[in-house]
Each structure stands twice: as C-alpha cells, then as structure tokens.
Amino acid sequence: MTVLAREQEPGSTFVVHPGADGAGVVRRTVLPGGLRIVTETVPTVRSVAFGIWAGVGSRDESIEDAGASHYLEHLLFKGTRKRTALEISSLMDAAGGEMNAFTAKEYTCYYARVLDSDMPLAIDVVSDMVTNSLIEPQDVDAERGVILEEIAMHDDDPTDAVHDEFSAALFGDTPLGRPILGTVESISGVGRDRIARYYRERYVPQNLVVSAAGNVDHDEVVRLVQAAFEGVLGDAAQLPTAPRIGGPGASPAAGVRSIVRPTEQANLILGTVGITRTDERRFALGVLNAALGGGMSSRLFQEIREKRGLAYSVYSYNSQYADTGIFGVYAGCLPAKVDEVLEICRDEVAKVAEHGITEEELERGKGQLRGSFVLGLEDTGSRMSRIGKSELVYDSLLSVDDILGRIEAVTLDDVRTVGREILGRPMTMTVIGPFEGRDFTL
C-alpha cells in the first residue's frame, strides 16, 4: 500500500508508486493553494486522459441547492472569459478529442481524452472551464430547460428511476436520498446568483484534484496546469470552502416504496445499507456480490433467468460512500411474475446470509473481480479516473498488485461474515409498475 503524502510541501513532487520499467509510475505534486496533481505514465500509448475532479456532489447540497452540482456541470461548458461555448467544443472536435463530465453523489469530474501531442490543449481548455466559467444569466435560463428535459427522460425510464426511488426509500429526505439531477421544483426555482455562489464556494484549489494518465511527463503537466490556474492559486488558508452537508442523516429502516406506473414491466430493488468505501471488507463483499448476482453464472441469474425464464435483467450490486453504502438486488420482469421473482430473490439472499457461498463460487468470484479490475485499466481514461478518485476520496492509492493480493486473500469465512452482517439486516424494497391498489407490505 502506498499512502498519499497529505502533508506534502507545496511545490514538491512525491512518487506515490514507482511502477516498473518506466511504466505505471504515479507522481503527485501539491501547488500553492492546495491544488493536487497526480499523473500515471503509460509510455506505450499515444493518448492522454486529463481530468479535474471537484470534491462536491449532490450530497453536499442543501434542499434549496438540490441539483446545483449537476447544474454547474452543464454550465461550465457554456463559456469562459477566454472562449465561447462553440469555441470550446470546436477546439476539441478539431483535435479529434473527446470531452465530457459527470456528477456523482460525492464528486464531479470534467475530463478530456486526446492525442499526447494535444495534451496542452486539453489542459488549457478543461482548466479554463473549471476556473473561469462566466455563469451568465441567459445560459442559466437556457440550460434550465435542458436539465428539466433530462429529468423527464430519466423519470420516463423506470430502470433508472427505480434506483433513485430506492435511495429515497433507504435514506429518506437526506442528501444521499435525493436525486443527483435535483427535482423539477428545485431546478425551476434556483437562480443564477445561488449557482454562482455555489461555484465560488466549492470550486477552490484545495477542493480540486487534477489527474492525467497516458504518455505524459509529470513535470510538463505540472507546468501546464500551473499556467492554466494562474491567478487562481493562492494561500489555501485564506481561501473559503463550504463544509460538507454531513452524513446520510436519517437512520435507514426496512420498508416498501411502491410507485404506480402503467409500465409493461415491473422494476424492483430489494436491498439495505452496505459498507463504506474504505472498509477493508469491501473485497469480501465484492466476491459475495459476484457470486450472488454479478454475472451469468451467479445464483440470481441462474435461478431467475436461466432456469425459470422469469426475467431478462437481474443482478446484485454494491455502492460505497464516505460513511455508508448500498447493497441491492435488481430485477425487471412482467408484473404477473413479480411475486415469484421477489420470493426467489429473498430466498437466495437469505441462503447467502446464513450459509455463505461455496468454494467454487469463491474462486469464480475472485477471478471475476481480478479480471474486471485489470481489464478496466486497459485504457488511459480508466487509469486517470483511478488515480484521480483515489486522491480525492481515499487515504491511499493501492497498486494493482496490492488490490489483486487483497482479492486473492479473501476467504470463505470473510465472505460468510460480511454476508451475515449485510444481508441479515432488514430489507427495503422499491417497485415501479402497474400495481394500483396493491399493498406490497403484506
């Protein structure tokens, strides 16, 4: 394990992981003002993925600010003091690059992937967007309509909506229980001044991480980022930053949330609170998840789809946050089959909670985790995401070998113990479908 140097002196460079034969070297530099830069060298490729991570997401929002993090994600593409929105997109298109952003519960990321020769352009454009956005009133009004359309599109897809409804059922009216996109009411009511203030408070250097992976030279990245952030960097102690809203809030409790819609398919999630992202048991829970519903050989897939043909899509999943998590089972089936599908899901969850998994499932789960992790690092974008997210939300950056070793070290007892604790908890259920008058609490 390589611990990130949190007390590193501004301007100094720290080798987080030495790599091998010049590849996989991860370096870290802290600039004045607290801006952190991490890079991973992959000299065998001709591309660079560059990202800026902001430590702000939907769980940092008050009720009045609901949806502000995602709103900002849209607005930062609308123009800066140096470039119009068209110039931003034209520059990246002319270079054959790709640029985008995403907002999560606990962070927001703006990124670009370009040829290595176009890295200075990517750094300049993305940094300019993050540090010099104008947040013009006319852009706020125009983008409001776009976001309302996005909310409508999301709500029209029950396979998406059921996950938001499940979070609301599990965490209640708390930041983690609210949708990332915000609501029609919150987006319709928020004004330019509130969003601009949110931007000024949250997008400060000590709350940002710059990450780059590919055919990069760390010192060059530092030089280009420092030039792009000119005038923004300063003494971190003098820069205000708003506090996080806090923990998940209301204590999760078992219950049923039924949303009546005239859909052709019922969409349901059965689940409970999981573990935090830094919990050492996350590797054992990952193996359990693979065995229960993580692939075509998993118990849920075999019992519900292969043997009985009751559903096309069925899987289990786990999500981790700073102070809590989610473990859930999803299934989409014909409304007439929902009772049978739900019964099988409950039975399989109960069996794993009581008896754990088999030796064969253990080895298969380990192999699935190892393969998906390593294959996921085959492109520069995933490597950039790994080091950027690790710097932002973890206390350490585990090397690839460290992670593979921890997966391999998982035992049947480890899986049984975490399964008994997580799956033995009272379950919350959310279902969307044509169930007028149906009481699922029975």
Side-chain angles (χ1 to χ4, degrees):
M1 180 178 72
T2 306
V3 178
L4 298 178
R6 296 300 182 191
E7 304 302 322
Q8 186 177 336
E9 287 295 321
S12 64
T13 296
F14 175 77
V15 178
V16 180
H17 190 268
D21 300 325
V25 181
V26 179
R27 295 181 175 89
R28 178 183 192 262
T29 295
V30 181
L31 296 182
L35 181 68
R36 292 160 283 170
I37 303 173
V38 287
T39 67
E40 181 174 0
T41 304
V42 188
T44 57
V45 300
R46 291 294 307 276
S47 67
V48 170
F50 175 82
I52 298 181
W53 299 73
V56 58
S58 61
R59 75 169 303 179
D60 297 292
E61 301 162 353
S62 64
I63 295 177
E64 295 77 16
D65 289 331
S69 301
H70 176 256
Y71 212 142
L72 265 180
E73 177 207 313
H74 282 241
L75 290 171
L76 264 57
F77 285 85
K78 302 299 285 185
T80 71
R81 297 184 183 93
K82 292 171 59 177
R83 300 177 176 94
T84 65
L86 178 58
E87 288 171 335
I88 290 172
S89 58
S90 296
L91 283 168
M92 296 305 296
D93 287 346
E98 54 186 62
M99 181 173 62
N100 212 329
F102 62 87
T103 305
K105 295 281 189 181
E106 296 183 321
Y107 47 82
T108 308
C109 178
Y110 303 83
Y111 63 92
R113 187 165 178 262
V114 295
L115 298 177
D116 51 9
S117 58
D118 290 318
M119 183 184 71
L121 172 67
I123 292 177
D124 187 36
V125 171
V126 179
S127 300
D128 184 33
M129 288 168 47
V130 170
T131 61
N132 295 310
S133 179
L134 295 175
I135 318 289
E136 297 282 18
Q138 64 269 24
D139 292 329
V140 173
D141 291 337
E143 211 60 27
R144 189 191 316 276
V146 174
I147 295 171
L148 290 174
E149 290 291 340
E150 188 176 356
I151 292 174
M153 179 179 69
H154 181 84
D155 289 345
D156 279 347
D157 186 347
T159 60
D160 286 338
V162 72
H163 287 277
D164 278 349
E165 296 292 349
F166 179 74
S167 293
L170 194 62
F171 296 118
D173 187 20
T174 66
L176 272 183
R178 299 180 197 128
I180 292 173
L181 300 182
T183 64
V184 171
E185 293 74 22
S186 67
I187 298 302
S188 299
V190 70
R192 187 267 174 190
D193 290 344
R194 179 177 288 276
I195 294 179
R197 183 174 69 250
Y198 193 85
Y199 173 53
R200 290 193 303 270
E201 291 175 344
R202 304 290 181 170
Y203 281 63
V204 291
Q206 68 267 34
N207 203 31
L208 300 176
V209 168
V210 172
S211 62
N215 192 18
V216 299
D217 176 80
H218 180 83
D219 292 336
E220 182 185 10
V221 173
V222 171
R223 178 178 59 80
L224 291 170
V225 169
Q226 196 157 15
F229 274 74
E230 185 179 6
V232 178
L233 302 175
D235 183 359
Q238 298 175 358
L239 294 170
T241 181
R244 304 211 85 160
I245 293 297
S251 298
V256 174
R257 189 181 186 92
S258 178
I259 312 298
V260 178
R261 290 191 188 176
T263 57
E264 295 295 324
Q265 186 180 57
N267 290 266
L268 67 92
I269 294 179
L270 179 71
T272 186
V273 290
I275 59 177
T276 68
R277 70 163 63 94
T278 56
D279 194 312
E280 289 299 318
R281 298 172 299 170
R282 65 189 184 273
F283 301 99
L285 188 59
V287 173
L288 184 155
N289 178 62
L292 180 62
M296 294 178 65
S297 64
S298 66
R299 294 190 183 191
L300 290 173
F301 194 93
Q302 286 294 312
E303 291 295 326
I304 292 175
R305 175 168 166 167
E306 292 297 285
K307 293 182 181 179
R308 295 175 174 86
L310 295 174
Y312 175 76
S313 179
V314 57
Y315 58 85
S316 62
Y317 67 98
N318 68 91
S319 304
Q320 283 123 27
Y321 306 115
D323 49 8
T324 187
I326 293 175
F327 190 93
V329 171
Y330 165 85
C333 63
L334 292 176
K337 298 178 179 180
V338 69
D339 290 323
E340 190 175 358
V341 169
L342 182 58
E343 182 179 4
I344 296 171
C345 289
R346 289 187 184 278
D347 286 346
E348 293 303 324
V349 166
K351 288 176 185 176
V352 173
E354 183 175 359
H355 304 294
I357 62 177
T358 67
E359 184 73 41
E360 181 183 355
E361 288 173 322
L362 176 72
E363 295 305 317
R364 194 163 61 233
K366 288 181 181 181
Q368 185 176 333
L369 287 188
R370 289 194 302 265
S372 61
F373 170 65
V374 174
L375 292 176
L377 297 178
E378 290 294 300
D379 67 271
T380 54
S382 59
R383 287 178 176 267
M384 179 275 292
S385 294
R386 188 175 88 90
I387 61 175
K389 185 177 176 181
S390 292
E391 174 63 44
L392 190 67
V393 302
Y394 288 98
D395 292 330
S396 62
L397 173 66
L398 298 178
S399 70
V400 172
D401 288 339
D402 286 334
I403 292 176
L404 294 178
R406 295 192 180 203
I407 293 172
E408 185 57 37
V410 172
T411 66
L412 285 173
D413 284 341
D414 294 334
V415 175
R416 187 179 298 111
T417 300
V418 74
R420 184 177 296 119
E421 177 182 341
I422 303 300
L423 302 184
R425 293 169 178 168
M427 290 283 166
T428 294
M429 189 186 85
T430 297
V431 59
I432 296 179
F435 299 114
E436 187 76 43
R438 173 71 183 274
D439 185 1
F440 280 95
T441 60
L442 301 177

